[in-house]
Amino acid sequence: GAVVSQHPSWVICKSGTSVKIECRSLDFQATTMFWYRQFPKQSLMLMATSNEGSKATYEQGVEKDKFLINHASLTLSTLTVTSAHPEDSSFYICSASASGTGVNNEQFFGPGTRLTVL
Amino acid sequence: QKEVEQNSGPLSVPEGAIASLNCTYSDRGSQSFFWYRQYSGKSPELIMSIYSNGDKEDGRFTAQLNKASQYVSLLIRDSQPSDSATYLCAAPTGANNLFFGTGTRLTVIP
């Protein structure tokens, strides 16, 4: 149980284009989903927290107009990187949490999406 | 002080030895703790959770929690080369979120 999928697993795009990444909880309802970014050999960096049906809460320094997050249902959240630039190239990872699946705050991670902006 | 602190390592142990990974946390009210394993180029994978003082064993893994001293550790017995990864300690915030440590990189030498 507690499986989270992400799509696509990797994407290469041209500078200035927008990229959408999907995160799905496959066998549970995710009341909260999280979006992280990780640069090579660095720690996980939380970008934003989203709850179903409400606006995402962004971490300090993360531009909400550049990283659009939609959590339209209890099983799907999307992250759109708008007008992507080479410095946005990174490993984007989502995680999901649900009350009732076990210990409070337990998060299950998707496999990640590697974004390369040319 | 960071909410969760780990020694970044690297920690190297020979195959078959016990690997000991440690983590301290600052919020005395934290009730649950998690250990994640992250292989290079992959996303983190939950391997252990613990929320009571004492030891919790799962196969070759043992998590230890000491709330009085505010530390949580992970022991890996009979370490295998496949255990080589970065291990992340995590503790909850008050906002249904987790603080992750920076991770300890473990290398098991054949």
Side-chain angles (χ1 to χ4, degrees):
Chain A
V3 178
V4 177
S5 70
Q6 266 184 257
H7 178 80
S9 56
W10 60 270
V11 58
I12 301 173
C13 69
K14 292 182 178 180
S15 185
T17 60
S18 295
V19 174
K20 179 186 283 189
I21 303 170
E22 290 187 351
C23 178
R24 293 181 185 271
S25 56
L26 299 185
D27 53 1
F28 68 101
Q29 293 187 324
T31 51
T32 308
M33 286 185 168
F34 307 87
W35 287 96
Y36 295 84
R37 180 168 54 181
Q38 188 173 38
F39 294 104
K41 300 190 186 301
Q42 294 190 20
S43 307
L44 284 174
M45 286 175 44
L46 178 65
M47 299 175 67
T49 302
S50 75
N51 293 291
E52 184 264 340
S54 62
K55 290 184 178 181
T57 302
Y58 290 80
E59 295 299 300
Q60 192 172 8
V62 178
E63 300 174 56
K64 63 180 181 181
D65 294 330
K66 181 171 180 62
F67 299 99
L68 301 178
I69 292 172
N70 183 282
H71 192 161
S73 77
L74 286 172
T75 59
L76 174 64
S77 177
T78 60
L79 168 68
T80 301
V81 184
T82 62
S83 186
H85 291 283
E87 58 266 29
D88 298 323
S89 299
S90 187
F91 190 41
Y92 291 85
I93 314 171
C94 74
S95 70
S97 177
S99 59
T101 58
V103 179
N104 288 339
N105 296 75
E106 198 170 36
Q107 290 184 27
F108 302 95
F109 284 86
T113 297
R114 193 161 301 281
L115 170 65
T116 302
V117 184
L118 303 176
Chain B
Q1 181 186 4
K2 293 181 181 177
E3 290 80 7
V4 175
E5 294 203 51
Q6 294 180 254
N7 186 329
S8 62
L11 173 66
S12 295
V13 300
E15 183 174 356
I18 295 175
S20 178
L21 305 162
N22 299 308
C23 173
T24 58
Y25 60 93
S26 61
D27 184 358
R28 201 171 268 284
S30 293
Q31 296 296 316
S32 51
F33 303 88
F34 307 92
W35 283 100
Y36 288 82
R37 177 178 61 198
Q38 186 175 23
Y39 291 112
S40 181
K42 302 294 185 182
S43 65
E45 172 192 12
L46 179 65
I47 56 173
M48 288 285 283
S49 60
I50 186 168
Y51 50 94
S52 300
N53 264 333
D55 296 359
K56 178 183 177 182
E57 188 174 315
D58 183 1
R60 294 186 296 111
F61 298 98
T62 299
Q64 299 175 319
L65 174 59
N66 185 321
K67 291 186 178 181
S69 300
Q70 295 177 241
Y71 81 77
V72 57
S73 62
L74 179 70
L75 301 179
I76 307 174
R77 290 183 300 282
D78 187 24
S79 296
Q80 301 297 307
S82 59
D83 295 325
S84 298
T86 296
Y87 289 81
L88 303 169
C89 170
T93 73
N96 196 32
N97 201 345
L98 289 175
F99 283 121
F100 284 89
T102 53
T104 298
R105 187 156 55 93
L106 171 67
T107 301
V108 180
I109 303 168

